Amino acid sequence: MSISLGRRLGITAIAATSAVIFSATPALAHTNITIGTDQGRMTFIDDGDVFEVCDTKADGAGVVGKLWFNSYIGGDWYVEASGDDGGDDGCDKFAHNVEDTGEFQMRLYWTGPGYDKEIARSRTFNE
Ligand SMILES: [Ca+2]
Ligand SMILES: [Ca+2]
Ligand SMILES: [Ca+2]
């Protein structure tokens, strides 16, 4: 009786643990990801872990792309790296290693007068 109960509890515990690990795993990147609007865009380039930020509209303000991170240990999301682009030619780039230590998310902001307005946000990812 007690052995049978123990077995059943053990199986239940294993199943529950697997479910938690599965649900906490964000989608793996292994591909480029682009977000944006007509004001600008931000692209994660998987080859080299480079992030490209482009201001695509001559509207008197630039854009800033931020790479947010939240570790598996918990706690708040915070900005790990960022890059901005303004009226100059071409896009700006920054590199940041994306690894399997937590979840990453790209968020793009339009730097209008006096404030940064979020205009796009990616799914969470890592690799
Ligand atoms: Ca990569
Ligand atoms: Ca602009
Ligand atoms: Ca530019």
Side-chain angles (χ1 to χ4, degrees):
M1 186 74 124
S2 63
I3 290 170
S4 164
L5 179 62
R7 271 205 192 131
R8 269 186 284 148
L9 288 175
I11 288 164
T12 305
I14 289 164
T17 304
S18 304
V20 168
I21 290 169
F22 181 76
S23 65
T25 303
L28 294 176
H30 297 309
T31 182
N32 296 352
I33 301 170
T34 298
I35 59 171
T37 67
D38 62 337
Q39 291 163 309
R41 68 174 185 272
M42 181 177 187
T43 301
F44 164 60
I45 301 163
D46 181 42
D47 184 6
D49 288 359
V50 172
F51 294 82
E52 184 180 66
V53 180
C54 306
D55 181 355
T56 56
K57 191 174 189 181
D59 54 8
V63 292
V64 57
K66 298 182 181 179
L67 180 63
W68 287 77
F69 177 75
N70 192 347
S71 82
Y72 288 137
I73 299 165
D76 293 331
W77 284 85
Y78 64 89
V79 176
E80 277 234 323
S82 69
D84 54 31
D85 187 39
D88 55 344
D89 281 347
C91 303
D92 282 44
K93 288 180 181 177
F94 66 92
H96 189 85
N97 186 31
V98 173
E99 52 195 347
D100 187 18
T101 52
E103 298 178 83
F104 291 83
Q105 185 178 53
M106 293 188 292
R107 297 180 198 173
L108 184 66
Y109 306 80
W110 180 72
T111 58
Y115 65 99
D116 287 358
K117 178 189 172 193
E118 184 179 318
I119 55 175
R121 172 183 289 220
S122 76
R123 63 178 169 85
T124 59
F125 62 97
N126 66 14
E127 58 183 22

